[in-house]
């Protein structure tokens, strides 16, 4: 059998979790844990408070630290920080900690009105066995049949083990340690809609598989998040899922270009695309590819640039001119999550000169109305020439400044008011030269979002 994916990661986290997890709130032997899984697709970073103390937080598709408490009742609340750095309470409830059990809080659905469900997960299992359960947060009226295959890993020999409905009761099965492949079908159907990689599950542990929408390149795609005693999840992706790539040419010498993706004898050309405009997506299998860009008459501008695409990954091949080495390509990874309360902004710095001087790096500052660049919390500092950095901004409208320091003097290379970050999704912000602009520079904003938004 081929070496399974995730074996090392899952084994390591199970060994290290007991020493890595936060807590230590109890000196007695009877204690359990509180942990939060964030399955709310458009949520901001969500913080877990226990008895008014902030413990840890998590983004969508991940978990907080497991916090150890003596067996008792505790008041918990889930909160986030708004644009004014004020804590906003989402939910409050009481949790009863039980001995040797993790009280796993599952937040899901639209963050405007999230559902919070509590699962009781034993921290250990019988000798030589493991606990395996599936929790369905994929959506109302969506149910699945889950099949488990070992040995040959084929669906034809897989065993139906459970049929989780939306927000089902967690039914933990006791199974042997070993290598497994997971298959999902729509309930009552035998057409496979999800096939995992081969995964190794260890004994004396509990695994909760969160079935959720992938919010990636697939329409109505499914992902499985494996929640264990670790402080992070392992995400299983559909083995038949594709990736996607699109391109943008920022080189002003070429008004229209075409992009061609090649692997072996197979070539995938894009349509002819105008300068500073994103091409349509090309759907491709996960692999490494050679990228070429030609002008409107078919002459090669660049050839054989490498681009690697992972399963369910969305990439942008951005072409620009390096003033020393000529045309180059920068690969950007798009975040397609339909974020609503905060947004990831990938800032690309293509600026290389100011008043005849070389620009080593720039700062980008997002200011609210009445806020100075010194007061602003949303900023990216020191973005190197021809590189990219990311920042998370709140769901607001900003005046954005691009700053350069010249011998201790800050220079405003450009500014743009009313830059709107109030739509679901995330963003790419490109900084580049523009001879047609009064400043000699421009910034271009692009939104990235999955097509499978609820």
């Amino acid at each position: 059998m081929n070496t399974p994916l995730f074996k090392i990661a899952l084994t390591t986290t199970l060994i290290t979790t007991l020493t890595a997890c936060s807590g230590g709130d109890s000196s007695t032997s009877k204690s359990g844990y509180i942990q939060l899984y964030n399955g709310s697709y458009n949520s901001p970073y969500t913080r877990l408070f226990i008895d008014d103390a902030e413990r840890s937080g998590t983004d969508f598709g991940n978990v907080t630290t497991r916090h150890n408490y003596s067996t008792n009742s505790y008041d918990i609340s889930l909160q986030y920080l708004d644009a004014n750095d004020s804590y906003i309470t989402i939910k409050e409830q009481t949790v009863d900690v039980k001995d040797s059990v993790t009280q796993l809080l599952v937040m899901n659905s639209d963050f405007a009105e999230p559902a919070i469900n509590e699962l009781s997960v034993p921290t250990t299992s019988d000798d030589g066995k493991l606990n395996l359960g599936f929790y369905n947060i994929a959506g109302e009226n969506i149910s699945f049949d889950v099949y488990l295959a070992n040995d040959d890993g084929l669906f034809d020999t897989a065993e139906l083990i459970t049929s989780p409905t939306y927000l089902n009761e967690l039914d933990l099965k006791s199974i042997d340690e070993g290598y497994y492949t997971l298959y999902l079908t729509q309930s009552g159907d035998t057409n496979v809609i999800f096939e995992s990689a081969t995964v190794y599950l260890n004994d004396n542990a509990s695994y909760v598989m969160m079935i959720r929408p992938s919010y990636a390149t697939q329409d109505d795609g499914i992902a499985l998040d494996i929640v264990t005693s670790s402080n992070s999840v392992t995400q299983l992706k559909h083995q038949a899922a594709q990736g996607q790539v699109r391109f943008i040419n920022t080189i002003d010498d070429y008004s229209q270009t075409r992009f061609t993706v090649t692997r072996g004898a197979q070539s995938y050309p894009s349509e002819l695309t105008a300068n500073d405009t994103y091409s349509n997506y090309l759907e491709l299998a996960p692999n490494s590819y050679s990228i070429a860009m030609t002008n409107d008459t078919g002459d090669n501008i660049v050839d054989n640039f490498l681009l690697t695409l992972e399963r369910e990954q969305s990439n942008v091949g951005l072409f620009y001119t390096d003033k020393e080495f000529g045309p180059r390509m920068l690969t950007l990874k798009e975040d397609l999550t339909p974020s609503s309360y905060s947004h990831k902004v990938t800032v690309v710095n293509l600026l290389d000169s100011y008043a005849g001087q070389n620009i080593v790096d720039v700062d980008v500052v997002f200011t609210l109305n009445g806020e100075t660049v010194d007061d602003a919390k949303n900023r990216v500092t020191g973005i190197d020439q021809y590189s990219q950095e990311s920042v998370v901004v709140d769901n607001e409208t900003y005046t954005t400044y691009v700053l350069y320091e010249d011998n201790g003097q800050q220079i405003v290379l450009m500014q743009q008011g009313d830059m709107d970050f109030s739509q679901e999704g995330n963003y790419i912000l490109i900084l580049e030269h523009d001879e047609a602009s009064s400043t000699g520079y421009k910034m271009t904003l692009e939104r990235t979002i999955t097509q499978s938004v609820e």
Side-chain angles (χ1 to χ4, degrees), residues 288-310:
S288 291
Y289 295 93
S290 175
I291 310 299
M293 181 171 69
T294 57
N295 62 19
D296 53 3
T297 61
D299 298 324
N300 267 1
I301 301 169
V302 301
D303 200 359
N304 298 324
F305 284 0
L306 177 67
L307 184 143
T308 297
L309 189 65
E310 302 291 344

Side-chain angles (χ1 to χ4, degrees), residues 217-218 242-245 268 281-285 289 309:
T217 58
Q218 278 192 299
Q242 301 289 288
Q244 65 183 23
V245 63
Y268 309 90
Y281 284 109
L282 296 174
E283 185 177 76
L284 301 167
Y289 295 93
L309 189 65

